[in-house]
Amino acid sequence: MGQARQSRRAEAQDGELGAAVARAQDGDETAFAIAYRIVQPGLLGYLRGFVGDDAEDVASDAWLEIARDLGRFAGDGAGFRGWTATIARHRALDHLRRLKVRPRSGVIEANVLDLPGPHSTHDQALESLSTARALELVRELPQDQAEAVLLRVVVGLDGPAAARVLGKRPGAVRTAAYRGLKRLAQRLGLEGAADEGVTDVASRTLGESK
């Protein structure tokens, strides 16, 4: 039920976003500000999980490119989220190359994760995490899992859209996101977490990135 409400809310927000982007492409600066307000929290959360404290600088670079190339964009609100995430990711990778570092990754192999049990047992613990702590845990995941979680949970992209950003198949991104969310539950010392439960709670926890 919670996921259904969240899905309807996301669809309504994407409708508002798509309308704002269309007006912004016609030169409406207020509409561009609305699009920024809708997209920026998730985009910044994604970048914080990617480049840490440099996220705001990278986001600023990304928005300069977004504003410059806005006329080239064609699509709806959900498509705009994916397009902006792709730009932000490119700027983040450029930033890391300049620093001669790589995105942080965990030391646990992805294939050590077990299949989930039938019930979620970690909701309260995840809900108690601050956003900063949650993002720090995400940054400790292997890179593919961290990016998949951030794009799916923080930015709010669906599987195909996240796959386009990462240049991977949707199934691979879904698996990486699932394993990453499962790993987060394990980091909290809890087992038997259902896939749906992890995703629902993580959406409420990580999706509030400021």
Coordinates of all heavy atoms in Angstrom, one line a residue, residues 7 34 49 56 67 77 86 93 95 101 107 110 113 115 117 120 125 127 132 138 141 149 157 179 202:
S7 N 4.2 5.4 -5.6 CA 4.2 5.4 -7.1 C 3.2 6.5 -7.6 O 3.6 7.1 -8.6 CB 3.8 4.0 -7.6 OG 3.7 4.0 -9.0
I34 N 11.1 25.7 -11.1 CA 10.2 24.6 -10.6 C 10.9 23.2 -10.9 O 10.9 22.3 -10.0 CB 8.8 24.7 -11.2 CG1 8.1 25.9 -10.7 CG2 8.0 23.4 -10.9 CD1 6.8 26.2 -11.3
G49 N 26.4 10.5 -2.8 CA 26.8 9.1 -2.7 C 27.9 8.7 -3.7 O 28.6 7.7 -3.5
E56 N 27.9 19.3 -4.2 CA 27.3 20.6 -4.6 C 28.0 21.3 -5.8 O 27.4 21.8 -6.7 CB 27.2 21.5 -3.4 CG 26.2 21.0 -2.4 CD 25.9 22.1 -1.3 OE1 26.4 23.2 -1.5 OE2 25.3 21.7 -0.3
A67 N 21.0 23.6 -18.2 CA 20.4 24.8 -18.7 C 20.9 25.1 -20.1 O 20.1 25.5 -21.0 CB 20.8 26.0 -17.8
G77 N 8.6 14.0 -17.9 CA 9.2 14.3 -16.6 C 10.2 13.2 -16.2 O 11.3 13.5 -15.7
T86 N 22.1 11.5 -16.1 CA 23.2 11.1 -17.0 C 24.2 12.2 -17.1 O 25.5 12.0 -17.0 CB 22.7 10.9 -18.4 OG1 21.8 9.8 -18.4 CG2 23.8 10.5 -19.4
L93 N 32.1 11.8 -13.0 CA 33.2 11.0 -13.4 C 34.4 11.9 -13.9 O 35.6 11.6 -13.6 CB 32.8 10.1 -14.6 CG 31.9 9.0 -14.2 CD1 31.4 8.2 -15.4 CD2 32.6 8.0 -13.2
H95 N 35.0 14.9 -12.7 CA 35.6 15.4 -11.4 C 36.5 14.4 -10.8 O 37.6 14.7 -10.3 CB 34.4 15.7 -10.5 CG 34.8 16.2 -9.1 ND1 35.3 17.4 -8.9 CD2 34.9 15.5 -7.9 CE1 35.6 17.5 -7.6 NE2 35.3 16.4 -7.0
V101 N 41.0 9.9 -8.6 CA 40.5 8.9 -7.7 C 39.3 8.2 -8.3 O 38.9 8.6 -9.4 CB 40.0 9.6 -6.4 CG1 41.2 10.2 -5.7 CG2 38.9 10.6 -6.6
V107 N 34.3 -3.8 0.1 CA 35.3 -4.9 0.0 C 34.6 -6.2 -0.1 O 35.2 -7.3 -0.2 CB 36.3 -4.9 1.1 CG1 37.1 -3.6 1.1 CG2 35.6 -5.0 2.5
A110 N 29.9 -9.2 -4.4 CA 28.5 -9.1 -4.5 C 27.8 -10.5 -4.4 O 26.7 -10.7 -3.9 CB 28.1 -8.5 -5.9
L113 N 26.0 -12.4 -1.2 CA 24.6 -12.1 -0.7 C 23.7 -13.3 -0.8 O 23.6 -13.9 -1.9 CB 24.1 -10.9 -1.4 CG 25.0 -9.6 -1.2 CD1 24.4 -8.5 -2.1 CD2 25.0 -9.2 0.2
L115 N 19.8 -15.0 -0.8 CA 18.4 -14.7 -1.2 C 17.6 -14.2 0.1 O 17.9 -14.7 1.2 CB 17.7 -15.9 -1.8 CG 18.3 -16.3 -3.2 CD1 17.5 -17.6 -3.6 CD2 18.1 -15.2 -4.2
G117 N 14.6 -13.6 2.9 CA 13.5 -14.4 3.4 C 12.1 -13.7 3.1 O 12.1 -12.7 2.4
S120 N 10.1 -8.6 6.0 CA 11.0 -7.6 6.3 C 11.1 -7.4 7.8 O 10.1 -7.3 8.5 CB 10.4 -6.2 5.7 OG 11.2 -5.2 6.1
A125 N 15.0 0.0 12.0 CA 16.4 0.3 12.0 C 16.8 1.2 10.9 O 17.5 2.2 11.0 CB 17.3 -1.0 12.0
E127 N 14.7 3.2 9.3 CA 14.0 4.5 9.5 C 14.8 5.3 10.5 O 14.7 6.5 10.4 CB 12.6 4.2 9.9 CG 11.7 3.7 8.8 CD 10.3 3.5 9.2 OE1 10.1 3.1 10.4 OE2 9.4 3.7 8.5
A132 N 22.4 11.4 6.2 CA 23.9 11.4 6.0 C 24.5 10.0 6.2 O 25.3 9.5 5.5 CB 24.5 12.4 6.9
V138 N 25.8 3.7 1.7 CA 25.7 3.5 0.3 C 27.0 3.6 -0.4 O 27.4 2.8 -1.2 CB 24.6 4.4 -0.4 CG1 24.7 4.3 -1.9 CG2 23.2 4.1 0.1
L141 N 29.3 0.6 -0.6 CA 28.9 -0.5 -1.4 C 29.8 -0.6 -2.6 O 30.5 0.4 -3.0 CB 27.5 -0.4 -1.9 CG 26.4 -0.4 -0.9 CD1 25.0 0.0 -1.5 CD2 26.3 -1.8 -0.2
V149 N 21.5 1.7 -6.5 CA 20.7 2.1 -5.4 C 20.4 3.6 -5.5 O 19.2 4.1 -5.3 CB 21.4 1.8 -4.1 CG1 20.6 2.5 -2.9 CG2 21.4 0.3 -3.9
L157 N 14.6 6.9 -10.5 CA 14.4 6.3 -11.8 C 13.9 4.9 -11.8 O 14.2 4.1 -10.8 CB 15.8 6.3 -12.5 CG 16.5 7.7 -12.7 CD1 17.7 7.5 -13.5 CD2 15.6 8.7 -13.3
R179 N 20.9 -6.2 -4.6 CA 22.0 -6.6 -3.8 C 22.5 -5.5 -2.9 O 22.9 -5.7 -1.7 CB 23.1 -7.1 -4.7 CG 22.8 -8.5 -5.3 CD 23.9 -8.9 -6.3 NE 23.6 -10.3 -6.7 CZ 24.3 -10.9 -7.7 NH1 25.2 -10.2 -8.4 NH2 24.0 -12.1 -8.0
A202 N 14.0 2.1 2.2 CA 15.1 2.9 1.7 C 14.6 4.1 1.0 O 15.3 5.2 1.0 CB 16.0 2.0 0.9

